PDB file of all heavy atoms in Angstrom:
ATOM      1  N   ALA D  25      24.706  19.482  18.464  1.00 98.00           N
ATOM      2  CA  ALA D  25      25.362  19.643  19.758  1.00 98.00           C
ATOM      3  C   ALA D  25      24.418  19.375  20.905  1.00 98.00           C
ATOM      4  O   ALA D  25      23.208  19.526  20.787  1.00 98.00           O
ATOM      5  CB  ALA D  25      25.882  21.078  19.886  1.00 98.00           C
ATOM      6  N   LEU D  26      25.022  18.977  22.023  1.00 96.00           N
ATOM      7  CA  LEU D  26      24.324  19.052  23.295  1.00 96.00           C
ATOM      8  C   LEU D  26      25.127  20.021  24.155  1.00 96.00           C
ATOM      9  O   LEU D  26      26.321  19.813  24.372  1.00 96.00           O
ATOM     10  CB  LEU D  26      24.195  17.677  23.959  1.00 96.00           C
ATOM     11  CG  LEU D  26      23.104  17.669  25.024  1.00 96.00           C
ATOM     12  CD1 LEU D  26      22.285  16.395  24.961  1.00 96.00           C
ATOM     13  CD2 LEU D  26      23.644  17.863  26.422  1.00 96.00           C
ATOM     14  N   PRO D  27      24.495  21.106  24.578  1.00 93.00           N
ATOM     15  CA  PRO D  27      25.227  22.138  25.314  1.00 93.00           C
ATOM     16  C   PRO D  27      25.880  21.606  26.584  1.00 93.00           C
ATOM     17  O   PRO D  27      25.306  20.772  27.277  1.00 93.00           O
ATOM     18  CB  PRO D  27      24.138  23.157  25.676  1.00 93.00           C
ATOM     19  CG  PRO D  27      23.067  22.937  24.666  1.00 93.00           C
ATOM     20  CD  PRO D  27      23.099  21.474  24.356  1.00 93.00           C
ATOM     21  N   GLU D  28      27.086  22.057  26.852  1.00 93.00           N
ATOM     22  CA  GLU D  28      27.752  21.805  28.131  1.00 93.00           C
ATOM     23  C   GLU D  28      28.631  23.015  28.411  1.00 93.00           C
ATOM     24  O   GLU D  28      28.851  23.855  27.533  1.00 93.00           O
ATOM     25  CB  GLU D  28      28.502  20.466  28.090  1.00 93.00           C
ATOM     26  CG  GLU D  28      29.796  20.475  27.330  1.00 93.00           C
ATOM     27  CD  GLU D  28      30.985  20.494  28.292  1.00 93.00           C
ATOM     28  OE1 GLU D  28      30.932  19.833  29.325  1.00 93.00           O
ATOM     29  OE2 GLU D  28      31.950  21.211  27.997  1.00 93.00           O
ATOM     30  N   THR D  29      29.136  23.123  29.631  1.00 95.00           N
ATOM     31  CA  THR D  29      29.763  24.358  30.079  1.00 95.00           C
ATOM     32  C   THR D  29      30.858  24.861  29.125  1.00 95.00           C
ATOM     33  O   THR D  29      30.823  26.014  28.701  1.00 95.00           O
ATOM     34  CB  THR D  29      30.372  24.159  31.477  1.00 95.00           C
ATOM     35  OG1 THR D  29      29.399  23.511  32.279  1.00 95.00           O
ATOM     36  CG2 THR D  29      30.764  25.486  32.106  1.00 95.00           C
ATOM     37  N   TRP D  30      31.804  24.005  28.790  1.00 97.00           N
ATOM     38  CA  TRP D  30      32.919  24.447  27.960  1.00 97.00           C
ATOM     39  C   TRP D  30      32.469  24.824  26.547  1.00 97.00           C
ATOM     40  O   TRP D  30      33.178  25.538  25.832  1.00 97.00           O
ATOM     41  CB  TRP D  30      33.984  23.349  27.851  1.00 97.00           C
ATOM     42  CG  TRP D  30      34.867  23.222  29.066  1.00 97.00           C
ATOM     43  CD1 TRP D  30      34.749  23.898  30.240  1.00 97.00           C
ATOM     44  CD2 TRP D  30      35.991  22.361  29.207  1.00 97.00           C
ATOM     45  NE1 TRP D  30      35.719  23.503  31.118  1.00 97.00           N
ATOM     46  CE2 TRP D  30      36.502  22.555  30.510  1.00 97.00           C
ATOM     47  CE3 TRP D  30      36.620  21.445  28.372  1.00 97.00           C
ATOM     48  CZ2 TRP D  30      37.616  21.858  30.987  1.00 97.00           C
ATOM     49  CZ3 TRP D  30      37.719  20.744  28.847  1.00 97.00           C
ATOM     50  CH2 TRP D  30      38.221  20.958  30.148  1.00 97.00           C
ATOM     51  N   LEU D  31      31.340  24.290  26.124  1.00 97.00           N
ATOM     52  CA  LEU D  31      30.872  24.542  24.757  1.00 97.00           C
ATOM     53  C   LEU D  31      29.863  25.686  24.692  1.00 97.00           C
ATOM     54  O   LEU D  31      29.422  26.073  23.610  1.00 97.00           O
ATOM     55  CB  LEU D  31      30.240  23.268  24.174  1.00 97.00           C
ATOM     56  CG  LEU D  31      31.129  22.022  24.171  1.00 97.00           C
ATOM     57  CD1 LEU D  31      30.351  20.809  23.668  1.00 97.00           C
ATOM     58  CD2 LEU D  31      32.369  22.246  23.305  1.00 97.00           C
ATOM     59  N   GLY D  32      29.512  26.228  25.845  1.00 96.00           N
ATOM     60  CA  GLY D  32      28.428  27.203  25.911  1.00 96.00           C
ATOM     61  C   GLY D  32      28.650  28.438  25.052  1.00 96.00           C
ATOM     62  O   GLY D  32      27.792  28.839  24.274  1.00 96.00           O
ATOM     63  N   LEU D  33      29.835  29.037  25.180  1.00 97.00           N
ATOM     64  CA  LEU D  33      30.107  30.263  24.411  1.00 97.00           C
ATOM     65  C   LEU D  33      30.182  29.972  22.915  1.00 97.00           C
ATOM     66  O   LEU D  33      29.685  30.741  22.090  1.00 97.00           O
ATOM     67  CB  LEU D  33      31.417  30.902  24.888  1.00 97.00           C
ATOM     68  CG  LEU D  33      31.400  31.456  26.327  1.00 97.00           C
ATOM     69  CD1 LEU D  33      32.804  31.923  26.737  1.00 97.00           C
ATOM     70  CD2 LEU D  33      30.417  32.611  26.450  1.00 97.00           C
ATOM     71  N   LEU D  34      30.783  28.827  22.609  1.00 96.00           N
ATOM     72  CA  LEU D  34      30.862  28.392  21.207  1.00 96.00           C
ATOM     73  C   LEU D  34      29.471  28.277  20.592  1.00 96.00           C
ATOM     74  O   LEU D  34      29.216  28.720  19.470  1.00 96.00           O
ATOM     75  CB  LEU D  34      31.448  26.980  21.192  1.00 96.00           C
ATOM     76  CG  LEU D  34      32.909  26.796  20.896  1.00 96.00           C
ATOM     77  CD1 LEU D  34      33.281  25.336  21.133  1.00 96.00           C
ATOM     78  CD2 LEU D  34      33.153  27.154  19.463  1.00 96.00           C
ATOM     79  N   LEU D  35      28.572  27.674  21.351  1.00 97.00           N
ATOM     80  CA  LEU D  35      27.219  27.445  20.832  1.00 97.00           C
ATOM     81  C   LEU D  35      26.441  28.749  20.736  1.00 97.00           C
ATOM     82  O   LEU D  35      25.573  28.895  19.874  1.00 97.00           O
ATOM     83  CB  LEU D  35      26.482  26.422  21.693  1.00 97.00           C
ATOM     84  CG  LEU D  35      27.077  25.010  21.610  1.00 97.00           C
ATOM     85  CD1 LEU D  35      26.360  24.049  22.551  1.00 97.00           C
ATOM     86  CD2 LEU D  35      27.041  24.477  20.183  1.00 97.00           C
ATOM     87  N   GLN D  36      26.778  29.708  21.589  1.00 97.00           N
ATOM     88  CA  GLN D  36      26.156  31.038  21.448  1.00 97.00           C
ATOM     89  C   GLN D  36      26.540  31.674  20.118  1.00 97.00           C
ATOM     90  O   GLN D  36      25.709  32.283  19.447  1.00 97.00           O
ATOM     91  CB  GLN D  36      26.578  31.943  22.605  1.00 97.00           C
ATOM     92  CG  GLN D  36      25.848  31.654  23.907  1.00 97.00           C
ATOM     93  CD  GLN D  36      26.357  32.541  25.042  1.00 97.00           C
ATOM     94  OE1 GLN D  36      26.955  33.591  24.798  1.00 97.00           O
ATOM     95  NE2 GLN D  36      26.111  32.106  26.267  1.00 97.00           N
ATOM     96  N   HIS D  37      27.820  31.507  19.745  1.00 98.00           N
ATOM     97  CA  HIS D  37      28.248  32.021  18.433  1.00 98.00           C
ATOM     98  C   HIS D  37      27.449  31.362  17.315  1.00 98.00           C
ATOM     99  O   HIS D  37      26.982  32.025  16.390  1.00 98.00           O
ATOM    100  CB  HIS D  37      29.744  31.759  18.213  1.00 98.00           C
ATOM    101  CG  HIS D  37      30.645  32.644  19.027  1.00 98.00           C
ATOM    102  ND1 HIS D  37      30.695  34.005  18.860  1.00 98.00           N
ATOM    103  CD2 HIS D  37      31.523  32.352  20.010  1.00 98.00           C
ATOM    104  CE1 HIS D  37      31.572  34.522  19.704  1.00 98.00           C
ATOM    105  NE2 HIS D  37      32.084  33.539  20.417  1.00 98.00           N
ATOM    106  N   ALA D  38      27.303  30.029  17.427  1.00 98.00           N
ATOM    107  CA  ALA D  38      26.585  29.285  16.384  1.00 98.00           C
ATOM    108  C   ALA D  38      25.125  29.730  16.321  1.00 98.00           C
ATOM    109  O   ALA D  38      24.549  29.895  15.245  1.00 98.00           O
ATOM    110  CB  ALA D  38      26.666  27.785  16.656  1.00 98.00           C
ATOM    111  N   ASP D  39      24.554  29.945  17.493  1.00 97.00           N
ATOM    112  CA  ASP D  39      23.139  30.318  17.592  1.00 97.00           C
ATOM    113  C   ASP D  39      22.878  31.687  16.949  1.00 97.00           C
ATOM    114  O   ASP D  39      21.838  31.929  16.355  1.00 97.00           O
ATOM    115  CB  ASP D  39      22.738  30.334  19.072  1.00 97.00           C
ATOM    116  CG  ASP D  39      21.247  30.151  19.245  1.00 97.00           C
ATOM    117  OD1 ASP D  39      20.623  29.524  18.358  1.00 97.00           O
ATOM    118  OD2 ASP D  39      20.707  30.631  20.263  1.00 97.00           O
ATOM    119  N   ARG D  40      23.861  32.572  17.052  1.00 98.00           N
ATOM    120  CA  ARG D  40      23.695  33.935  16.519  1.00 98.00           C
ATOM    121  C   ARG D  40      24.073  34.044  15.041  1.00 98.00           C
ATOM    122  O   ARG D  40      23.860  35.071  14.419  1.00 98.00           O
ATOM    123  CB  ARG D  40      24.602  34.903  17.303  1.00 98.00           C
ATOM    124  CG  ARG D  40      24.140  35.153  18.716  1.00 98.00           C
ATOM    125  CD  ARG D  40      24.884  36.365  19.292  1.00 98.00           C
ATOM    126  NE  ARG D  40      25.002  36.263  20.727  1.00 98.00           N
ATOM    127  CZ  ARG D  40      26.125  35.994  21.386  1.00 98.00           C
ATOM    128  NH1 ARG D  40      27.264  35.825  20.733  1.00 98.00           N
ATOM    129  NH2 ARG D  40      26.132  35.916  22.689  1.00 98.00           N
ATOM    130  N   ASP D  41      24.669  32.976  14.515  1.00 98.00           N
ATOM    131  CA  ASP D  41      25.206  33.025  13.149  1.00 98.00           C
ATOM    132  C   ASP D  41      24.123  32.604  12.149  1.00 98.00           C
ATOM    133  O   ASP D  41      23.715  31.442  12.132  1.00 98.00           O
ATOM    134  CB  ASP D  41      26.419  32.078  13.080  1.00 98.00           C
ATOM    135  CG  ASP D  41      27.082  32.071  11.714  1.00 98.00           C
ATOM    136  OD1 ASP D  41      26.516  32.643  10.764  1.00 98.00           O
ATOM    137  OD2 ASP D  41      28.170  31.479  11.614  1.00 98.00           O
ATOM    138  N   PRO D  42      23.651  33.513  11.316  1.00 98.00           N
ATOM    139  CA  PRO D  42      22.568  33.163  10.371  1.00 98.00           C
ATOM    140  C   PRO D  42      23.006  32.149   9.314  1.00 98.00           C
ATOM    141  O   PRO D  42      22.174  31.519   8.681  1.00 98.00           O
ATOM    142  CB  PRO D  42      22.219  34.503   9.717  1.00 98.00           C
ATOM    143  CG  PRO D  42      23.410  35.369   9.920  1.00 98.00           C
ATOM    144  CD  PRO D  42      24.073  34.906  11.188  1.00 98.00           C
ATOM    145  N   ASP D  43      24.324  31.987   9.145  1.00 98.00           N
ATOM    146  CA  ASP D  43      24.820  31.037   8.142  1.00 98.00           C
ATOM    147  C   ASP D  43      25.136  29.667   8.730  1.00 98.00           C
ATOM    148  O   ASP D  43      25.685  28.808   8.055  1.00 98.00           O
ATOM    149  CB  ASP D  43      26.075  31.589   7.466  1.00 98.00           C
ATOM    150  CG  ASP D  43      25.784  32.896   6.742  1.00 98.00           C
ATOM    151  OD1 ASP D  43      24.682  33.004   6.173  1.00 98.00           O
ATOM    152  OD2 ASP D  43      26.635  33.804   6.781  1.00 98.00           O
ATOM    153  N   MET D  44      24.822  29.485  10.008  1.00 98.00           N
ATOM    154  CA  MET D  44      25.100  28.194  10.654  1.00 98.00           C
ATOM    155  C   MET D  44      23.784  27.579  11.119  1.00 98.00           C
ATOM    156  O   MET D  44      22.992  28.239  11.777  1.00 98.00           O
ATOM    157  CB  MET D  44      26.027  28.393  11.865  1.00 98.00           C
ATOM    158  CG  MET D  44      26.442  27.104  12.561  1.00 98.00           C
ATOM    159  SD  MET D  44      27.510  26.038  11.556  1.00 98.00           S
ATOM    160  CE  MET D  44      29.039  26.975  11.577  1.00 98.00           C
ATOM    161  N   ARG D  45      23.572  26.315  10.744  1.00 98.00           N
ATOM    162  CA  ARG D  45      22.395  25.606  11.258  1.00 98.00           C
ATOM    163  C   ARG D  45      22.806  24.860  12.523  1.00 98.00           C
ATOM    164  O   ARG D  45      23.675  23.992  12.478  1.00 98.00           O
ATOM    165  CB  ARG D  45      21.864  24.609  10.229  1.00 98.00           C
ATOM    166  CG  ARG D  45      20.628  23.863  10.721  1.00 98.00           C
ATOM    167  CD  ARG D  45      20.194  22.795   9.753  1.00 98.00           C
ATOM    168  NE  ARG D  45      19.712  23.346   8.507  1.00 98.00           N
ATOM    169  CZ  ARG D  45      18.488  23.882   8.356  1.00 98.00           C
ATOM    170  NH1 ARG D  45      17.658  23.927   9.372  1.00 98.00           N
ATOM    171  NH2 ARG D  45      18.124  24.361   7.187  1.00 98.00           N
ATOM    172  N   LEU D  46      22.222  25.220  13.638  1.00 98.00           N
ATOM    173  CA  LEU D  46      22.525  24.570  14.916  1.00 98.00           C
ATOM    174  C   LEU D  46      21.365  23.646  15.280  1.00 98.00           C
ATOM    175  O   LEU D  46      20.211  24.082  15.347  1.00 98.00           O
ATOM    176  CB  LEU D  46      22.726  25.632  16.004  1.00 98.00           C
ATOM    177  CG  LEU D  46      22.815  25.129  17.449  1.00 98.00           C
ATOM    178  CD1 LEU D  46      24.014  24.210  17.647  1.00 98.00           C
ATOM    179  CD2 LEU D  46      22.885  26.308  18.427  1.00 98.00           C
ATOM    180  N   ILE D  47      21.676  22.383  15.502  1.00 98.00           N
ATOM    181  CA  ILE D  47      20.650  21.416  15.899  1.00 98.00           C
ATOM    182  C   ILE D  47      21.008  20.882  17.278  1.00 98.00           C
ATOM    183  O   ILE D  47      22.013  20.186  17.444  1.00 98.00           O
ATOM    184  CB  ILE D  47      20.559  20.250  14.888  1.00 98.00           C
ATOM    185  CG1 ILE D  47      20.368  20.783  13.460  1.00 98.00           C
ATOM    186  CG2 ILE D  47      19.419  19.299  15.263  1.00 98.00           C
ATOM    187  CD1 ILE D  47      20.711  19.774  12.381  1.00 98.00           C
ATOM    188  N   GLN D  48      20.218  21.245  18.266  1.00 98.00           N
ATOM    189  CA  GLN D  48      20.448  20.742  19.618  1.00 98.00           C
ATOM    190  C   GLN D  48      19.705  19.429  19.809  1.00 98.00           C
ATOM    191  O   GLN D  48      18.556  19.299  19.415  1.00 98.00           O
ATOM    192  CB  GLN D  48      19.938  21.749  20.649  1.00 98.00           C
ATOM    193  CG  GLN D  48      20.868  22.928  20.852  1.00 98.00           C
ATOM    194  CD  GLN D  48      20.406  23.785  22.021  1.00 98.00           C
ATOM    195  OE1 GLN D  48      19.949  23.277  23.028  1.00 98.00           O
ATOM    196  NE2 GLN D  48      20.509  25.086  21.867  1.00 98.00           N
ATOM    197  N   VAL D  49      20.358  18.484  20.436  1.00 98.00           N
ATOM    198  CA  VAL D  49      19.761  17.167  20.633  1.00 98.00           C
ATOM    199  C   VAL D  49      19.446  16.952  22.112  1.00 98.00           C
ATOM    200  O   VAL D  49      19.953  17.669  22.972  1.00 98.00           O
ATOM    201  CB  VAL D  49      20.709  16.058  20.132  1.00 98.00           C
ATOM    202  CG1 VAL D  49      20.848  16.132  18.616  1.00 98.00           C
ATOM    203  CG2 VAL D  49      22.079  16.149  20.793  1.00 98.00           C
ATOM    204  N   ALA D  50      18.602  15.958  22.369  1.00 98.00           N
ATOM    205  CA  ALA D  50      18.274  15.616  23.752  1.00 98.00           C
ATOM    206  C   ALA D  50      19.324  14.679  24.336  1.00 98.00           C
ATOM    207  O   ALA D  50      19.552  14.642  25.542  1.00 98.00           O
ATOM    208  CB  ALA D  50      16.892  14.960  23.814  1.00 98.00           C
ATOM    209  N   LYS D  51      19.960  13.901  23.461  1.00 97.00           N
ATOM    210  CA  LYS D  51      21.039  12.999  23.873  1.00 97.00           C
ATOM    211  C   LYS D  51      21.988  12.866  22.698  1.00 97.00           C
ATOM    212  O   LYS D  51      21.550  12.862  21.550  1.00 97.00           O
ATOM    213  CB  LYS D  51      20.455  11.635  24.268  1.00 97.00           C
ATOM    214  CG  LYS D  51      21.479  10.666  24.808  1.00 97.00           C
ATOM    215  CD  LYS D  51      20.870   9.301  25.076  1.00 97.00           C
ATOM    216  CE  LYS D  51      21.970   8.321  25.477  1.00 97.00           C
ATOM    217  NZ  LYS D  51      21.470   6.955  25.631  1.00 97.00           N
ATOM    218  N   GLU D  52      23.262  12.743  22.984  1.00 97.00           N
ATOM    219  CA  GLU D  52      24.284  12.826  21.930  1.00 97.00           C
ATOM    220  C   GLU D  52      24.138  11.754  20.853  1.00 97.00           C
ATOM    221  O   GLU D  52      24.552  11.952  19.716  1.00 97.00           O
ATOM    222  CB  GLU D  52      25.684  12.780  22.538  1.00 97.00           C
ATOM    223  CG  GLU D  52      26.069  14.034  23.304  1.00 97.00           C
ATOM    224  CD  GLU D  52      25.548  14.041  24.739  1.00 97.00           C
ATOM    225  OE1 GLU D  52      24.741  13.148  25.100  1.00 97.00           O
ATOM    226  OE2 GLU D  52      25.959  14.939  25.499  1.00 97.00           O
ATOM    227  N   GLU D  53      23.585  10.591  21.201  1.00 98.00           N
ATOM    228  CA  GLU D  53      23.496   9.542  20.186  1.00 98.00           C
ATOM    229  C   GLU D  53      22.623   9.982  19.005  1.00 98.00           C
ATOM    230  O   GLU D  53      22.869   9.597  17.868  1.00 98.00           O
ATOM    231  CB  GLU D  53      22.968   8.233  20.781  1.00 98.00           C
ATOM    232  CG  GLU D  53      23.175   7.081  19.799  1.00 98.00           C
ATOM    233  CD  GLU D  53      22.714   5.736  20.312  1.00 98.00           C
ATOM    234  OE1 GLU D  53      22.090   5.683  21.378  1.00 98.00           O
ATOM    235  OE2 GLU D  53      22.969   4.738  19.607  1.00 98.00           O
ATOM    236  N   GLU D  54      21.617  10.825  19.285  1.00 98.00           N
ATOM    237  CA  GLU D  54      20.793  11.359  18.193  1.00 98.00           C
ATOM    238  C   GLU D  54      21.663  12.066  17.154  1.00 98.00           C
ATOM    239  O   GLU D  54      21.380  12.031  15.956  1.00 98.00           O
ATOM    240  CB  GLU D  54      19.814  12.419  18.729  1.00 98.00           C
ATOM    241  CG  GLU D  54      18.641  11.928  19.493  1.00 98.00           C
ATOM    242  CD  GLU D  54      17.862  13.130  20.009  1.00 98.00           C
ATOM    243  OE1 GLU D  54      17.408  13.951  19.206  1.00 98.00           O
ATOM    244  OE2 GLU D  54      17.744  13.273  21.239  1.00 98.00           O
TER     245      GLU D  54
END
Side-chain angles (χ1 to χ4, degrees):
Chain D
L26 199 138
E28 76 104 38
T29 313
W30 282 5
L31 304 176
L33 293 174
L34 261 172
L35 293 176
Q36 283 177 20
H37 287 296
D39 203 27
R40 289 194 208 108
D41 181 350
D43 299 323
M44 183 67 72
R45 181 185 293 282
L46 170 62
I47 307 161
Q48 282 188 39
V49 293
K51 184 185 174 185
E52 289 83 351
E53 193 179 8
E54 285 176 59

